[in-house]
Amino acid sequence: MSKNKYLFTSESVTEGHPDKVCDQISDGVLDEVLRQYPDDPSERVACETYVTMGLLMIGGEITTKAYVDIHKMCRNILKDIGYTHPKYGFDYHTCAILNAIHTQSPDIAMGVDAGGAGDQGMMFGYACRETPELMPLPIMLAHKLCQRLAEVRKKGLLGYLGPDGKSQVTIEYINGKPARATSVVLASQHTETVVDKKTDMMSEDARREIIEKIAKPVLKDYLDKNTKFYINQTGKFLVGGPQSDTGMTGRKIVVDTYGGMIPHGGGAFSGKDPTKVDRSAAYMARYVTKNLVSAGVADKLMIQLAYVIGKAEPLSVMVDTYGTGRLSDGKIVKIIEDNFDLTPGGIIRALKLRSSSNGRYRKTAAYGHFGREGEGFTWEKTDRVKDLKKFIK
């Protein structure tokens, strides 16, 4: 029988990428507001950040009784990311910070205060059996490569790396299952110390070191003799971070979710409190699909939810099992509607989304919102499996 083969690619970026700097700062504001007033449903945050050479601007609509020292918080996050010296093109000591935050429109608050959704839109959730995390393999490998880039930099194992970086992984699928990595792309900001004086490019020794210490430990058995590596493919990456590229909150929505494996509703997550269904309903959609796949209802499952501002219940619920379902799509939709509260209030309660200890939301703002274990990632729990298994007996 002939094998059905295809390639699929996903990318990720490091915490020092300009867009991710902005996501982390926006979520840092949200964390601080919810830390001070976790039980007050009137606290609202819609925070946007913009960063460019030497300048960070933070704005948006926030209604809160909390006090947030914006300048101090921004500088602390930049320091933690690693923008600690002018050699990286951005320095937490000296960058200018502008604050343009104002309050939420009362027209929006009127609908949300009554328990309705904070906006209209569509949100998607997904789970599959490709990885232990029940996530698509390409995006998980891309995230792990970027996490490894940050790890070796912060531990001093590759001291010449800077905060800005990206990864990309192409996986060959055979009969619907991931088989091997055909190509691996790593781009990382670096200092002059690894520039070959003869070629004015990053040295071959440094390229090999990145492959050995970053790519191979992450991709392991997915690599073979035919895997191609592309390391700082232009030749060098001296100018990075906000000096090289402007960053904005919400520009890495595919990185944040499933790496392009399924559709995206278009709404960003970072800087939004849980009354915004762009974020909370996407988290709930992941929670629903992960529990259903864990329960054996399907091996691969996508859900779409849709809302309108001011109304609590979703306008529509749609699922696709890609032919792997033990039940019909219609029956699965009925199970979801009968067993999960999909209103904004129900989602917030089920996933405990108003709690924000230990920088919960900032943790989500780099290396993906899904497929992550640990404190705060309540939408990754599979605590409904026992209840759901009864539907497939």
Side-chain angles (χ1 to χ4, degrees), residues 156-380:
L157 301 177
L158 296 181
Y160 52 80
L161 295 182
D164 194 3
K166 303 178 78 171
S167 71
Q168 186 171 285
V169 181
T170 299
I171 296 294
E172 181 180 49
Y173 284 75
I174 300 177
N175 294 330
K177 298 185 181 299
R180 55 181 289 269
T182 63
S183 68
V184 181
V185 178
L186 285 166
S188 183
Q189 183 183 12
H190 60 86
T191 62
E192 291 273 7
T193 56
V194 290
V195 174
D196 189 314
K197 290 182 173 58
K198 293 180 181 178
T199 63
D200 196 35
M201 300 292 184
M202 188 182 207
S203 70
E204 288 303 314
D205 286 344
R207 292 174 191 272
R208 282 192 292 270
E209 195 170 32
I210 287 172
I211 292 171
E212 292 296 325
K213 293 189 176 181
I214 296 171
K216 287 185 177 180
V218 170
L219 278 86
K220 298 177 182 176
D221 293 341
Y222 289 105
L223 300 175
D224 60 27
K225 64 181 181 179
N226 296 315
T227 302
K228 291 181 168 54
F229 294 95
Y230 302 92
I231 312 299
N232 282 353
Q233 188 65 15
T234 64
K236 61 183 178 181
F237 189 174
L238 288 172
V239 182
Q243 182 182 10
S244 173
D245 292 295
T246 295
M248 296 184 73
T249 301
R251 289 206 303 198
K252 287 292 176 283
I253 58 176
V254 172
V255 169
D256 284 342
T257 52
Y258 305 97
M261 187 66 74
I262 65 165
H264 194 293
F269 298 158
S270 289
K272 296 179 180 178
D273 75 75
T275 66
K276 279 73 171 173
V277 285
D278 277 340
R279 183 173 213 159
S280 56
Y283 288 174
M284 191 62 169
R286 166 64 176 169
Y287 177 68
V288 169
T289 55
K290 188 174 183 181
N291 275 273
L292 286 167
V293 169
S294 296
V297 173
D299 291 334
K300 186 188 296 188
L301 178 62
M302 181 188 76
I303 181 174
Q304 185 207 52
L305 305 174
Y307 293 83
V308 63
I309 190 168
K311 179 178 170 59
E313 295 78 14
L315 300 182
S316 65
V317 179
M318 183 277 286
V319 301
D320 187 350
T321 64
Y322 307 89
T324 70
R326 275 56 166 186
L327 302 169
S328 69
D329 289 356
K331 286 184 178 179
I332 295 173
V333 169
K334 185 73 164 56
I335 290 169
I336 293 169
E337 292 176 335
D338 289 347
N339 291 272
F340 295 92
D341 187 343
L342 301 178
T343 65
I347 293 170
I348 290 168
R349 288 189 295 273
L351 303 182
K352 299 177 173 61
L353 295 180
R354 293 205 65 84
S355 170
S356 186
S357 59
N358 300 318
R360 174 193 198 174
Y361 285 108
R362 188 195 152 192
K363 290 176 184 176
T364 69
Y367 312 118
H369 292 245
F370 305 126
R372 309 267 302 272
E373 301 295 335
E375 183 185 6
F377 290 86
T378 50
W379 48 93
E380 294 296 322

Side-chain angles (χ1 to χ4, degrees), residues 15-34:
E15 64 203 68
H17 185 283
D19 292 334
K20 282 288 142 198
V21 169
C22 294
D23 284 346
Q24 290 172 86
I25 288 173
S26 293
D27 271 338
V29 173
L30 174 62
D31 278 329
E32 186 58 23
V33 169
L34 294 183

